[in-house]
Amino acid sequence: FASEFGAFKLGKLSGVLEYYLGSNGIAYSLVAPSYVKSVATGNGAASKDGVIKGVRDRWGYVNSSNDINDAYVMAQIARGARPLPKPQKEKQSKKG
């Protein structure tokens, strides 16, 4: 029961926050989770551990919390960080 209405409550809270920010002329952006992952790792479907590793590798920031790492990436996005290129798969050479 609680989880059924959790999304509804979150939607209401989001609406109130957006109204408040807009009414007070405060600029904001909505950032999709896949975009956060792309900025950290180059892969929009990266795991939570992948994001933690990506943050450490890209910016040298270390924290074991998934939420803190996501917030760190969003702060970097606000500063102008953009997605990394998608990692290229290694090509196997044919010997023969």
Side-chain angles (χ1 to χ4, degrees), residues 47-86:
S47 67
K48 293 178 183 215
D49 288 336
V51 171
I52 290 172
K53 181 181 181 317
V55 169
R56 183 182 61 242
D57 293 349
R58 184 165 185 185
W59 292 288
Y61 179 76
V62 178
N63 190 295
S64 61
S65 167
N66 298 321
D67 294 332
I68 297 296
N69 279 278
D70 287 347
Y72 187 89
V73 176
M74 286 187 268
Q76 296 306 317
I77 291 169
R79 296 179 68 199
R82 297 293 171 249
L84 293 170
K86 289 186 178 183

